[in-house]
Amino acid sequence: MRRETTILSLVQVDRQVKMNAAVKRQHSSAFLPEITTHSNKWRKGTQHRWKRDSLQTGLVLDKSAQILSKEETARFRNTVKQNVCVEMLQEGCHRSFSELFSLLRSDQDRRAAAEPGSALSLQTPLEEQQDKLETIKLHLCQAEQAERTGAWSLVCEQRLFLGVHFSAPEDQLLSLHFLHSCADREQGRCSRPATEARACMAELYLKQENLEQARQQAEMCLKQAEDSGWLDSAGQPLRLRACQLLGRIHSQLADASLAASNYQKALTLLHEGYSMAAESQDKQVEGEAAYRLGLAYQCTGDHDTAKKFFNTCMQIFGTLQDADGLGKAYKAMAKSLESQGNIDGTVHCLEELADISRRNGLQYNLVDACLCLGNIFCTMHQYRRACESFLQGYDVACHIGDVALLQKAQVLLASARAHSMITKYSADVKAATPVALKRLMAWKETERHRELSADYTDHTASVWY
């Protein structure tokens, strides 16, 4: 009986639940739409795209998860030096490897021998400079491959490129190595690139003040380029470039002989330099060489020959409109004229120097010209003109703000004014005329009642000039 009652209760409960569910569906139908087949398609499309994206992501993950090869791993683990050397050996460039290894060893030895704190010791080691090592590897390997085929000009081209590429001051030894390996090799040493390499070495040795080596390389460059018509990498004839270099080198070689008063040797060197400069077709270099020759003859006391070269120098610099060069030529000419006693010519040259300097804003040259003119007028006892010149120099020195030059101008101006006053005072004493005596009495009264000052000095000077 109890079991039947329980079953009946369960049936009633189930019926009630179904009825409630039906009622709920009726009430909710007005608010929630039914799920259509289109919604099912959307759900399936979304699932499909998710599966496709997951598949693609999985492919990317698989690719990124690939294990690096032994060679790729080694590139990350090894140093720059090791990687470059291994690549050279893998390409079969064993000679290039040996050359690079020798350069690295030389760099290490130089750094080890350098004093702590020196410029060399503070530089980054060559083996740690990836760009340089990669550049050396590339062009050395190309040169070695060209050498195997007998293309000697191409070999020299690659080595010349390296010699010119390393132009920084700290890379001079590296540059010289590649330039020498280009110019001094058995095959190809008479080619155009090897000839240009000699010009580059001459310039580099000239910077290092190794004048004998510079002259040797420049002369060999001139000999190889004499009848070739070759142009350098910048399009300049190699023969003219060698002539320009020899002109500069001979001028600097002559300096040591002039310092030792060996004028004959100095003149020989300067004449050779002037001849090379004239052949170079570079008027600036030719003008400088003529100026140097004039100074050398001036030192020997041969002022007539010196003036000839100074005139040549003036013509060249005047054509070039080089105010600085023209000014120093006029100053040198004035010195020779003064030594010969030609004061009028000296004054004319110094006045030209002052005008050129004033027009071109060469303030220091202008002060120099004014002070030189003042000294000339003092020797001529023309103290009024001397004071005018010294005063112009003083004003320009004030504008420049050069204390040493200002003090020099002050001393010269004060000395000229003092000489002017003494000369006028002595003349009045000797004359003893009423007018002269009146001036002397006025000066005496002024001296008694005024203290010496800058303003008073100016007032007194104005009385006597």
Side-chain angles (χ1 to χ4, degrees), residues 341-445:
N342 188 347
I343 302 301
D344 292 338
T346 302
V347 171
H348 172 73
C349 285
L350 290 175
E351 288 176 342
E352 286 291 331
L353 172 60
D355 290 340
I356 292 170
S357 302
R358 190 178 292 108
R359 288 197 305 266
N360 293 276
L362 303 175
Q363 303 287 352
Y364 281 94
N365 288 356
L366 179 56
V367 175
D368 194 19
C370 291
L371 298 186
C372 288
L373 273 172
N375 286 324
I376 294 293
F377 291 137
C378 280
T379 59
M380 298 168 63
H381 303 290
Q382 297 181 13
Y383 296 110
R384 181 186 296 276
R385 296 181 69 184
C387 288
E388 291 174 356
S389 297
F390 286 141
L391 186 59
Q392 290 180 21
Y394 171 78
D395 291 339
V396 177
C398 289
H399 179 72
I400 295 174
D402 189 322
V403 176
L405 198 59
L406 178 63
Q407 292 174 344
K408 180 180 179 180
Q410 282 178 327
V411 171
L412 292 173
L413 178 59
S415 176
R417 282 182 170 176
H419 278 91
S420 178
M421 292 172 62
I422 292 172
T423 301
K424 189 66 176 177
Y425 179 82
S426 300
D428 283 344
V429 170
K430 290 180 180 179
T433 62
V435 177
L437 291 175
K438 185 177 181 180
R439 279 199 299 266
L440 289 172
M441 292 299 295
W443 181 79
K444 184 176 180 181
E445 290 297 323

Side-chain angles (χ1 to χ4, degrees), residues 141-370:
C141 289
Q142 290 181 359
E144 185 171 346
Q145 292 168 5
E147 189 173 354
R148 292 170 187 166
T149 61
W152 305 113
S153 181
L154 182 57
V155 173
C156 293
E157 284 281 2
Q158 297 298 324
R159 292 184 172 276
L160 173 63
F161 175 86
L162 289 172
V164 175
H165 177 76
F166 296 108
S167 58
E170 64 270 16
D171 295 330
Q172 287 186 357
L173 292 177
L174 202 59
S175 177
L176 280 174
H177 168 81
F178 289 116
L179 291 173
H180 272 292
S181 70
C182 172
D184 298 338
R185 58 188 308 104
E186 187 66 27
Q187 294 89 1
R189 61 182 178 182
C190 293
S191 62
R192 189 212 64 80
T195 305
E196 183 176 350
R198 294 202 181 279
C200 294
M201 282 192 287
E203 291 172 344
L204 194 52
Y205 281 126
L206 188 58
K207 289 180 181 179
Q208 296 176 349
E209 298 183 354
N210 189 343
L211 300 180
E212 288 299 332
Q213 279 286 351
R215 179 167 66 173
Q216 179 183 350
Q217 295 299 331
E219 288 175 348
M220 293 178 70
C221 175
L222 179 61
K223 182 179 179 180
Q224 292 178 198
E226 189 67 42
D227 300 318
S228 62
W230 284 329
L231 304 179
D232 62 11
S233 302
Q236 180 184 11
L238 278 169
R239 182 181 178 280
L240 299 185
R241 181 174 174 181
C243 289
Q244 291 174 5
L245 283 167
L246 284 170
R248 292 163 54 194
I249 292 166
H250 282 102
S251 293
Q252 292 194 26
L253 281 169
D255 287 340
S257 299
L258 287 172
S261 299
N262 189 350
Y263 299 117
Q264 189 59 44
K265 183 178 180 180
L267 287 172
T268 301
L269 289 168
L270 288 171
H271 272 289
E272 291 177 357
Y274 180 69
S275 177
M276 290 291 101
E279 289 187 34
S280 72
Q281 300 178 11
D282 188 328
K283 288 299 182 181
Q284 186 72 36
V285 176
E286 184 180 352
E288 289 291 340
Y291 174 71
R292 296 292 301 276
L293 256 177
L295 290 180
Y297 277 110
Q298 196 176 69
C299 291
T300 64
D302 188 352
H303 294 287
D304 289 331
T305 307
K307 288 190 295 183
K308 292 179 181 178
F309 284 104
F310 290 144
N311 279 323
T312 302
C313 182
M314 288 177 188
Q315 293 174 4
I316 293 174
F317 287 135
T319 303
L320 296 176
Q321 296 183 348
D322 183 349
D324 194 25
L326 195 58
K328 67 183 183 183
Y330 269 108
K331 183 178 179 181
M333 178 68 83
K335 185 176 180 180
S336 287
L337 290 170
E338 183 184 9
S339 299
Q340 292 180 319
N342 188 347
I343 302 301
D344 292 338
T346 302
V347 171
H348 172 73
C349 285
L350 290 175
E351 288 176 342
E352 286 291 331
L353 172 60
D355 290 340
I356 292 170
S357 302
R358 190 178 292 108
R359 288 197 305 266
N360 293 276
L362 303 175
Q363 303 287 352
Y364 281 94
N365 288 356
L366 179 56
V367 175
D368 194 19
C370 291

Side-chain angles (χ1 to χ4, degrees), residues 115-140:
E115 296 183 0
S118 63
L120 180 58
S121 65
L122 297 176
Q123 292 177 9
T124 304
L126 178 60
E127 63 183 29
E128 297 178 9
Q129 301 184 55
Q130 183 173 356
D131 291 341
K132 290 183 181 180
L133 293 181
E134 292 286 351
T135 302
I136 293 173
K137 178 187 81 69
L138 173 64
H139 292 279
L140 280 185

Side-chain angles (χ1 to χ4, degrees), residues 42 197 260 453:
W42 174 83
S453 64

